[in-house]
Amino acid sequence: MKHMRSFLTFPVRHYSKDVSEQTLSKSHQVISPLNFVLGKRIDAQGPSSFQLIAPATGKKLRNIATSNEQDINEAVLAARNSYRSWSKWTGFERGKVLKTAADLIRSKVDDLAYTEVLDTGKPIWEARYDILGCADTIEFYGGLAGGIKGDFMQLSGGSFAYTIREPLGVVGGIGAWNFPFQMAAWKSAPALACGNTMVFKPSQVTPLTAVMLGDIYQQAGLPGGCYNVVQGEGETGQILCSHPNIDKVTFTGSVPTGSRIMAACAKDIKHVTLELGGKSPFVVFSDADLDNAVKGAILANFSNQGQVCSNGTRVYVEESIAEKFLAKLIERVENMKIGDPYQEDTTIGATISPQQAAIVEDYINIGKKEGATVVYGGERVTPPGSNFAGGIYMRPCILVNCTDSMRVVKEEIFGPVMSLLTFKSEEEVIARANESEFGLAGGVFTRDLQRAHRFVAALEVGSIYVNNYNVYPVGVPFGGYKKSGIGRENGEDSLDYYSQIKSVYFEGGDVECPY
Ligand code: NAD
């Protein structure tokens, strides 16, 4: 859940017989080639391949050929050749292409959203929400493109200097599986706005909508080769990062992979942006509006099946209101509807994969062994309808009797597991909130303005929510402190990470030389 829009403003098209997984799985988006090079869908050479599974039903959709070194060479060469002309377009011209792409995304929102559901198992309205947010992001960078400029400095004796903001070159993008279209959009839009070209590798689990973005850019007038997609697993990502003709890598994923990518980039002194994991604190003071705090806690833990990097999964509640908070929380979570993600009223869809479900279940067991108690959920649910028997559906889990030293409280689970902790004082909770190797996000619910400001100043994180959580309006930078990453996305600041400054000195007089 990444953008602040009213859910009610979205066009809602109700689930019909025309949009079922069976029909979607035979659609062009699924059966056509899934690499995208020089503006065309093409097949990777393989010879190895991997399977694409629909999380909602557990059914196999197809095999996808793995992009090998030659596939990546071709995509990078296409991006390099296109860079020569694209980087010479004016920012305004580049911006027009991005704005057209944003409009096309809006006109195809249902196509994109249903395909995203097929890939991820997330509820359809969440997918629609993500896709429309991406249209805004691409339009936002389209608007900024024409204003990308350098600076002018008057110097003494008629001399002067100016700076030119230039693109970096060819950017390699690598995405995670929880917001597949968003990863492709958040990375490509600022990169293209600055005049770079891109080769993007989506997660092997969610390959479909990044290619649809390629089709859309093409239709919007982006020259072939400016945005390319290669499909593959970790090894393909590794080849892309280490490619000598890639100038920058922008990555979203886990800390261990981020660390490996940074090491690969260090070898060739490549620019790198890392959007990594988190274990964010969510703090509720006794003076908070309790209903809003409960809503915030649910947004912070259970949207997208709990698979959100910025989730506030360490929920610290002031001791005096902890029982009341928990009672209200359970009452609201009980109403969440688990099941068919293609239904408009479903609020919890399928977990991305059996492997991820096993990680989540392992953590719940570890928590229990460490002394935590499951007060709600944590078990698998079989939704009505035989179609969904092969998907994995989990009831959101609330753990109490947690302590800061437990693994469930310290480590990122990336599933619907909330750890509830209590605190007595502001100083205490700030110290505990900061006691983490991560620093992606944090939240505080309080009506005390001064306390809110103290909290904002003290928390060591990249994004802080005061009296809300997990909203990402376009234009507000997003990124982590500490091990949660390097760089920013979604705001004007991202342009700094996709461009470099050339300083130009002009002499207005004679050369002064003491030699
Ligand atoms: P992951 O690190 O396993 O994989 C991410 C991507 O990296 C995939 O495309 C994968 O194929 C590729 N990859 C794997 N090994 C590689 C290597 N050696 N070199 C190059 N590429 C390689 O992460 P995931 O399981 O897909 O996603 C979940 C993680 O992503 C969580 O930790 C989550 O917090 C994080 N995430 C962060 C943000 C953010 O903005 N900070 C957003 C979403 C997800």
Side-chain angles (χ1 to χ4, degrees), residues 36 38-39 82 85-86 89-90 92-105 108 138 192 197 212-227:
F36 188 82
L38 278 174
S82 310
S85 54
W86 178 247
W89 285 37
T90 65
F92 180 73
E93 289 167 332
R94 291 197 295 261
K96 280 210 285 195
V97 171
L98 291 175
K99 287 184 202 168
T100 308
D103 288 340
L104 285 168
I105 289 170
K108 296 171 193 289
I138 292 176
L192 292 170
T197 56
M212 292 172 80
L213 181 60
D215 290 334
I216 287 169
Y217 277 145
Q218 188 69 15
Q219 219 182 319
L222 186 73
C226 289
Y227 171 86

Side-chain angles (χ1 to χ4, degrees), residues 58 82 120 139 239 282 352 378 384 394 428 435 454 456 488:
S82 310
T120 61
E139 183 173 354
I239 300 170
F282 179 99
I352 190 78
M394 299 183 75
E428 172 207 334
E435 196 55 46
R454 283 197 298 274
V456 166
R488 291 294 176 270

Side-chain angles (χ1 to χ4, degrees), residues 293-317:
V294 164
K295 285 191 266 178
I298 294 172
L299 285 176
N301 281 270
F302 301 139
S303 57
N304 204 32
Q305 295 68 246
Q307 303 161 153
V308 183
C309 51
S310 52
N311 269 359
T313 45
R314 290 187 284 145
V315 177
Y316 294 95
V317 183

Side-chain angles (χ1 to χ4, degrees), residues 140-168:
F140 172 76
Y141 286 109
L144 288 180
I148 295 172
K149 58 182 182 336
D151 226 333
F152 176 84
M153 286 139 280
Q154 185 66 59
L155 304 171
S156 62
S159 297
F160 61 91
Y162 62 90
T163 57
I164 308 169
R165 190 176 278 270
E166 294 186 336
L168 298 171

Side-chain angles (χ1 to χ4, degrees), residues 174-178 183 201-204 232-234 237-238 241 251-254 257 260-261 275-278 309 412 414 440 478:
I174 298 180
W177 44 258
N178 55 340
M183 308 268 160
K201 188 199 89 62
S203 166
Q204 61 274 20
E233 300 173 269
Q238 212 168 347
C241 295
F251 169 74
T252 299
S254 63
T257 310
R260 276 196 287 277
I261 286 176
E275 295 286 351
L276 308 177
C309 51
E412 183 182 49
F414 222 57
L440 193 54
F478 180 76

Side-chain angles (χ1 to χ4, degrees), residues 358-432:
I359 292 171
V360 174
E361 286 166 340
D362 271 357
Y363 267 112
I364 295 172
N365 287 328
I366 289 166
K368 285 196 234 170
K369 277 191 201 128
E370 287 178 318
T373 311
V374 175
V375 281
Y376 184 81
E379 73 277 17
R380 290 192 187 192
V381 175
T382 310
S386 56
N387 253 351
F388 301 99
I392 299 175
Y393 294 83
M394 299 183 75
R395 202 179 295 288
C397 177
I398 303 171
L399 296 174
V400 295
N401 299 327
C402 298
T403 59
D404 293 351
S405 60
M406 290 177 177
R407 284 186 60 197
V408 278
V409 177
K410 284 162 59 173
E411 297 172 17
E412 183 182 49
I413 299 174
F414 222 57
V417 184
M418 175 195 290
S419 297
L420 213 59
L421 304 115
T422 58
F423 68 92
K424 287 196 174 77
S425 76
E426 184 183 320
E427 298 74 39
E428 172 207 334
V429 77
I430 285 175
R432 291 169 66 193

Side-chain angles (χ1 to χ4, degrees), residues 31-111:
I31 59 174
S32 60
L34 288 175
N35 272 13
F36 188 82
V37 179
L38 278 174
K40 288 194 194 73
R41 287 174 178 253
I42 56 166
D43 279 315
Q45 330 227 355
S48 61
S49 65
F50 56 97
Q51 291 190 348
L52 178 61
I53 308 285
T57 55
K59 288 187 184 137
K60 180 180 157 184
L61 296 171
R62 62 172 286 178
N63 278 332
I64 300 175
T66 301
S67 303
N68 62 19
E69 209 160 337
Q70 199 180 329
D71 294 306
I72 292 168
N73 280 342
E74 282 168 17
V76 173
L77 183 65
R80 177 61 61 192
N81 288 339
S82 310
Y83 173 71
R84 292 195 184 96
S85 54
W86 178 247
S87 57
K88 300 288 179 293
W89 285 37
T90 65
F92 180 73
E93 289 167 332
R94 291 197 295 261
K96 280 210 285 195
V97 171
L98 291 175
K99 287 184 202 168
T100 308
D103 288 340
L104 285 168
I105 289 170
R106 292 187 186 104
S107 72
K108 296 171 193 289
V109 58
D110 269 347
D111 244 10

